[in-house]
Amino acid sequence: MNVPQIQIQSTPARLGLTINKGQQTIRQPKAEQSIEQPQAEMSIKQRPGQLTIDQTKAWHNIDLKSIAERTKETAQVGEQKWMEGLARVASEGDELMRIEDGGNPISAQAERNAGFEFEVKPGGRPAYELVDVSYEPGGAEISVEPQKPIIHTTKRDPQTSLQPRNVTGFMEQYPDLKIDWKV
């Protein structure tokens, strides 16, 4: 016996897609910035120095002396001459005391005391060695007050552009179903 048969043939559907990728760009412009640095405030106070010039020795070198100095020098010379004279008189007295030893001490003393000696000192020491110069510098007061920088910044937002993704669908193959009978 022949049994009829059903023959089924199916074709599946196929979907096709066209995809355009999206694109995104981001650009970040640099921020604008300006910086100013004000000068620091500074003050300087300079106290004057102390200059001392002592030319007393130079004046003495050219024999220009004060009355007090002259009196002092004269007293020193007088005391020295008095001491020398005292020593001379004592020595001469001792000579006369020993007159019995012989010789002629009176004429020897008269001969020694008849003249006098003096000394001439030409010039003196150079004047540049005789002037005392001293300098004491004055102090300086320095104060500095720094100033903070002035900074101005203008920010820039990012610039973006977007092309969205695009998907398009289409049928590559349509579905199909065929049914057939065979006897």
Side-chain angles (χ1 to χ4, degrees):
M1 168 167 130
N2 276 345
V3 179
Q5 292 183 352
I6 296 180
Q7 197 174 17
I8 301 174
Q9 189 178 11
S10 67
T11 305
R14 277 199 330 211
L15 183 61
L17 298 175
T18 304
I19 301 172
N20 291 329
K21 289 185 178 179
Q23 185 176 8
Q24 181 178 16
T25 58
I26 299 174
R27 189 172 150 275
Q28 177 66 58
K30 291 183 179 179
E32 288 184 16
Q33 189 175 52
S34 67
I35 300 174
E36 288 180 54
Q37 178 64 60
Q39 288 187 347
E41 292 180 16
M42 184 168 78
S43 67
I44 300 173
K45 293 179 183 175
Q46 177 72 46
R47 289 188 301 273
Q50 183 70 33
L51 175 66
T52 306
I53 300 173
D54 183 5
Q55 53 188 1
T56 305
K57 294 177 195 170
W59 289 113
H60 289 182
N61 189 44
I62 58 174
D63 207 27
L64 295 175
K65 300 175 185 175
S66 67
I67 291 292
E69 187 68 29
R70 285 229 187 257
T71 305
K72 184 178 171 185
E73 284 180 3
T74 304
Q76 286 175 347
V77 169
E79 184 178 357
Q80 181 184 353
K81 294 294 181 185
W82 179 75
M83 293 300 276
E84 289 172 4
L86 188 61
R88 183 181 52 80
V89 168
S91 170
E92 288 175 354
D94 286 345
E95 268 183 59
L96 290 174
M97 239 181 11
R98 288 189 285 299
I99 200 163
E100 68 275 354
D101 291 342
N104 192 0
I106 295 176
S107 67
Q109 289 176 6
E111 188 178 320
R112 271 195 314 250
N113 294 331
F116 61 92
E117 292 181 23
F118 63 92
E119 211 176 289
V120 176
K121 295 180 184 176
R125 292 193 323 200
Y128 63 85
E129 290 180 355
L130 301 173
V131 177
D132 295 327
V133 178
S134 67
Y135 179 72
E136 190 174 315
E141 292 176 20
I142 301 172
S143 67
V144 178
E145 188 176 321
Q147 301 296 315
K148 292 186 177 181
I150 301 168
I151 303 172
H152 298 287
T153 305
T154 305
K155 69 174 188 160
R156 300 282 183 223
D157 293 330
Q159 297 172 350
T160 60
S161 66
L162 175 65
Q163 293 177 344
R165 181 178 288 206
N166 186 5
V167 178
T168 307
F170 62 92
M171 292 298 289
E172 282 186 359
Q173 183 178 330
Y174 287 95
D176 187 27
L177 184 63
K178 289 183 187 176
I179 301 174
D180 215 5
W181 294 94
K182 279 192 182 181
V183 184

